[in-house]
């Protein structure tokens, strides 16, 4: 072994292995600066509990769970808070984009909220690269990518995702906030792509939905690695109508709601038969209803009583009977039928 200008050269046959002398001071350039410390102490949420300024937030969910709809609506809030929004609309319905753009115009936000539908991801990527090259100040700028799969050459390829994530990281270094929307796998549990997406995102969130007739209820919550404090939020909206989005006061447990919906689907025949009987017999006494359902369905009366209580207030109303101190009257909850009874 010989030493020359700070380099150790180890010889083994014809192979040469070069080892550069280094000590632990090499880590010093990565330590937290006072400026960075102050920035983190005053971490700024654009959307309280969900979206942090200058972070990359990845939001994943099933198709139809409301990712695009909710984010299009939150775009209005972002503009109202003084940000410029560039929404790369690559995966949603163009009819919805048309309605949103009309609303943007009506709200006089066209100079702050830009719904981009006329280009491809390579077009947008080239512009982002030019911004990075020119080191443009992107503070107060928000990019929403719908969806992440358009930025990567292969969503299931590790190196392709690394390249896409590197581009996003360079954009956030300029002060921008980046939000990517992504799909879960077919099992609905995991998200499409490789582990690099989660590892390189500042926050990984999940949106799940429950469907109730024409209304959709969606909850966004923490799902993976997060470098900020996330507070779950729930929204309701009509499918495909971003202008109908409203935030709920309380967080909805979507999993529990879906379990209830699944149970209700299994009880559909029972519900329909009960409503049919009640339409023919307004203000029917519970004991009479139990007897008829027992006869028609062959279900134990204890099970019938349990199901009647379960759907009380949703499919029918149960009130104390006036002529039976320990009994109940049942009336079907059907707007058209109720109006007919009143008249």
């Amino acid at each position: 072994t010989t030493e020359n200008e700070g380099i150790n050269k180890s010889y083994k046959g014809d192979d040469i292995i070069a080892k550069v002398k280094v000590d632990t001071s090499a880590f010093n350039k990565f330590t937290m600066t006072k400026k960075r410390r102050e920035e983190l102490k005053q971490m700024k949420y654009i959307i309280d509990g969900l979206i942090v300024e200058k972070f990359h937030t990845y939001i994943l969910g099933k198709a139809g769970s409301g990712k695009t709809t909710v984010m299009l609506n939150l775009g209005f809030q972002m503009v109202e808070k003084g940000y410029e929004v560039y929404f790369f609309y690559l995966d949603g319905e163009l009819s919805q984009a048309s309605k949103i753009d009309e609303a943007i115009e009506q709200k006089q936000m066209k100079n702050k909220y830009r719904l981009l539908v006329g280009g491809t991801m390579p077009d947008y990527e080239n512009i982002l690269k030019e911004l990075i090259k020119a080191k443009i100040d992107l503070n107060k700028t928000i990019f929403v990518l719908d969806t992440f799969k358009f930025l990567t050459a292969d969503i299931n390829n590790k190196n392709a995702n690394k390249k896409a994530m590197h581009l996003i990281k360079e954009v956030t270094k300029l002060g921008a906030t980046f939000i990517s929307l992504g799909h879960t796998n077919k099992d609905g549990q995991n998200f499409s792509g490789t582990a690099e997406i989660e590892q390189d995102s500042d926050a990984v969130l999940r949106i799940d939905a429950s469907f109730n007739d024409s209304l959709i209820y969606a909850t966004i919550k923490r799902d993976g690695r997060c470098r900020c404090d996330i507070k779950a939020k729930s929204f309701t909206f009509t499918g495909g109508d971003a202008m109908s989005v409203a935030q709920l006061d309380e967080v909805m447990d979507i999993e529990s709601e879906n379990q209830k919906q699944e149970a209700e689907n299994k009880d559909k025949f029972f519900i329909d038969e009960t409503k049919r009987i009640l339409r023919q017999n307004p203000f029917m006494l519970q004991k009479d209803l139990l007897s008829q359902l027992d006869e028609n369905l062959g279900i134990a009366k204890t099970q019938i009583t349990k199901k009647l209580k379960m759907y009380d207030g949703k499919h029918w109303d149960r009130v104390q009977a006036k002529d039976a101190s320990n009994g109940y009257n049942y009336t079907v909850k059907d707007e058209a039928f109720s109006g007919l009874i009143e008249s």
Side-chain angles (χ1 to χ4, degrees), residues 59-74 87 96 146 181-183 206-211 216-220 235-242 245:
I59 304 176
L60 59 108
K62 292 181 181 179
S65 59
K67 299 183 298 295
T68 301
T69 301
V70 171
M71 284 311 307
L72 281 169
N73 186 268
L74 291 180
F87 202 115
Q96 180 170 226
D146 185 12
L181 307 184
H183 295 294
R206 181 186 184 90
I207 182 169
D208 289 306
S210 177
F211 301 84
I216 299 174
Y217 297 90
T219 295
I220 303 178
F235 305 85
T236 183
F237 57 93
T238 303
D241 184 3
V245 174

Side-chain angles (χ1 to χ4, degrees), residues 154-285:
D154 181 357
I155 192 71
N156 293 308
N157 182 278
K158 179 177 178 179
N159 291 327
N161 287 338
K162 274 188 173 182
K163 184 178 178 182
M165 295 300 291
H166 177 74
L167 177 66
I168 293 174
K169 186 65 70 177
E170 291 301 307
V171 172
T172 58
K173 283 181 180 179
L174 296 174
T177 303
F178 210 101
I179 303 167
S180 299
L181 307 184
H183 295 294
T184 57
N185 293 330
K186 290 182 179 179
D187 60 9
Q189 300 302 313
N190 301 309
F191 62 87
S192 299
T194 65
E196 281 65 38
I197 298 175
E198 179 172 2
Q199 292 169 0
D200 291 343
S201 297
D202 294 306
V204 179
L205 311 183
R206 181 186 184 90
I207 182 169
D208 289 306
S210 177
F211 301 84
N212 186 357
D213 296 327
S214 62
L215 287 179
I216 299 174
Y217 297 90
T219 295
I220 303 178
K221 61 182 180 181
R222 178 177 183 152
D223 189 66
R225 178 177 182 268
C226 290
R227 307 186 76 183
C228 51
D229 184 25
I230 296 298
K231 298 175 183 176
K233 292 188 183 299
S234 295
F235 305 85
T236 183
F237 57 93
T238 303
D241 184 3
M243 297 309 299
S244 66
V245 174
Q247 185 175 326
L248 301 178
D249 293 332
E250 297 182 359
V251 176
M252 179 178 284
D253 185 342
I254 297 297
E255 185 176 355
S256 176
E257 289 300 316
N258 284 337
Q259 288 174 351
K260 289 179 184 178
Q261 188 64 47
E262 187 177 343
E264 187 170 335
N265 291 338
K266 290 180 181 178
D267 287 336
K268 186 177 186 305
F269 185 73
F270 171 85
I271 293 169
D272 289 345
E273 179 62 11
T274 304
K275 291 172 78 170
R276 184 189 69 79
I277 294 171
L278 292 177
R279 287 192 184 98
Q280 294 176 346
N281 302 274
F283 312 110
M284 192 175 194
L285 278 171

Side-chain angles (χ1 to χ4, degrees), residues 5-65:
E5 296 181 356
I7 297 179
N8 290 334
K9 293 183 180 179
S10 300
Y11 294 88
K12 185 177 180 182
D14 295 329
D15 297 328
I16 298 178
I17 304 173
K19 296 180 180 179
V20 179
K21 281 186 173 181
V22 68
D23 59 34
T24 55
S25 64
F27 290 114
N28 293 348
K29 65 180 179 180
F30 301 112
T31 59
M32 185 176 291
T33 63
K34 182 177 180 180
K35 179 182 177 182
R36 182 57 174 159
R37 185 178 71 229
E38 292 304 312
E39 287 177 352
L40 293 173
K41 282 171 64 177
Q42 301 175 28
M43 189 179 290
K44 188 172 183 180
Y45 285 86
I46 301 171
I47 302 296
D48 184 42
L50 287 184
I51 309 298
V52 176
E53 188 180 64
K54 302 178 183 180
F55 272 24
H56 173 214
T57 302
Y58 190 89
I59 304 176
L60 59 108
K62 292 181 181 179
S65 59

